[in-house]
Amino acid sequence: MQFQTREPARELAEHLLTPHEAAEALRISARKLWALKDAGEISHVKIGRLVRYPAASVRKFIADRATTVSPA
């Protein structure tokens, strides 16, 4: 991974979302996010007892569920 700044720890931390941040980004409740995690529908990272959601996982979750509208 190439870092864009001289503060790689800060840059990396910006890519890991707390459960609250991830739920807010998806506009769902923290409880629903927890259910999606438990069902294996969204990937997460465990750091000790903490759970974090990579921003890329949140983007992928959205992209995987996006629907396209075909022209009439």
Side-chain angles (χ1 to χ4, degrees):
M1 170 184 258
Q2 282 283 20
F3 292 104
Q4 303 298 319
T5 66
R6 301 189 100 189
E7 299 180 71
R10 179 181 297 266
E11 188 175 332
L12 185 58
E14 291 172 359
H15 293 283
L16 290 174
L17 305 176
T18 66
H20 176 77
E21 292 168 334
E24 191 173 87
L26 293 169
R27 305 291 194 267
I28 60 175
S29 69
R31 186 175 295 223
K32 177 64 177 176
L33 178 66
W34 195 265
L36 292 170
K37 176 189 74 69
D38 286 347
E41 294 187 48
I42 189 166
S43 59
H44 64 285
V45 176
K46 285 200 74 167
I47 305 168
R49 293 180 3 191
L50 300 175
V51 176
R52 295 295 182 258
Y53 297 87
S57 294
V58 174
R59 284 191 292 274
K60 183 179 181 326
F61 179 82
I62 293 168
D64 289 349
R65 282 149 186 82
T67 58
T68 57
V69 178
S70 59

